[in-house]
């Protein structure tokens, strides 16, 4: 029971933090933040384009199938700290009523992406820690089929 209360309070705090940073116009790349926002924010599964999270990653080529909006850099899609000491969870595609890839792990399953940020580059890399071959999208660019990390992707980073 206590653990649920702590998690709920943390989510409320993080949602408030997200609202404040959005109101102040602080970009996701402007500061380091706990990965729990990528896991628990309601922005993660809003319709792409309607979310304040400006990177959208898709299960299928051509920005199709299941998706997830990502607002902050992710060191390792398979091991995102969830705010509980010593615990981590894989980042998954959003549950989307029968769409191919729904609820699947993102790591090594993404085929395309879209960067809706006006200023920062979105970089998806083969290895965790933003290493290895990467695909980079400029502001407002999409890649219909990742040439370097197609279904072999482990991390995401905002860069300038």
């Amino acid at each position: 029971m206590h653990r649920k209360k702590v998690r709920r309070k943390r989510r409320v705090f993080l949602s408030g933090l997200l609202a404040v940073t959005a109101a102040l116009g602080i970009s996701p790349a402007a500061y380091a933040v706990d990965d729990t926002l990528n896991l628990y924010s309601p922005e993660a599964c809003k319709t792409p384009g309607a979310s304040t999270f400006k990177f959208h990653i898709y299960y299928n080529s051509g920005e199709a199938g299941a998706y997830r909006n990502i607002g902050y850099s992710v060191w390792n899609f398979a091991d995102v700290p969830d705010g509980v000491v010593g615990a981590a969870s894989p980042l998954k595609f959003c549950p989307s009523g029968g769409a191919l890839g729904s609820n699947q792990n993102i790591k090594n399953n993404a085929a395309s992406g879209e960067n809706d940020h006006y200023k920062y580059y979105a970089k998806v890399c083969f290895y965790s820690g933003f290493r290895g071959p990467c695909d980079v999208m400029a502001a407002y660019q999409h890649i219909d089929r990742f040439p370097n990390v197609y279904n072999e992707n482990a991390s995401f980073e905002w860069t300038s």
Side-chain angles (χ1 to χ4, degrees), residues 58-129:
Y58 296 88
Y59 184 78
N60 284 337
S61 298
E63 294 85 50
Y67 64 87
R68 184 167 194 104
N69 304 311
I70 299 175
Y72 302 92
S73 296
V74 180
W75 183 262
N76 181 355
F77 288 140
D79 195 25
V80 178
D82 69 4
V84 179
V85 176
S89 299
L91 203 58
K92 296 179 177 278
F93 290 104
C94 297
S96 42
L100 206 53
S102 181
N103 280 323
Q104 295 292 313
N105 292 344
I106 290 175
K107 186 169 185 175
N108 297 331
N109 279 320
S112 61
E114 183 174 32
N115 178 10
D116 279 344
H117 203 284
Y118 74 97
K119 181 177 177 183
Y120 293 99
Y121 289 84
K123 182 169 81 170
V124 180
C125 297
F126 191 92
Y127 295 114
S128 299

Side-chain angles (χ1 to χ4, degrees), residues 124-149:
V124 180
C125 297
F126 191 92
Y127 295 114
S128 299
F130 325 122
R131 296 176 300 117
C134 298
D135 287 315
V136 179
M137 288 157 271
Y140 299 114
Q141 183 184 8
H142 67 270
I143 295 179
D144 287 333
R145 185 179 192 280
F146 290 133
N148 297 312
V149 298

Side-chain angles (χ1 to χ4, degrees), residues 8-19 33-37 40-41:
R8 189 175 75 213
K9 285 181 181 180
R10 185 177 295 121
R11 282 187 211 147
V12 169
F13 169 76
L14 292 172
S15 295
L17 178 64
L18 181 64
V33 75
D34 191 335
D35 281 328
T36 57
L37 287 174
Y40 297 123
S41 174

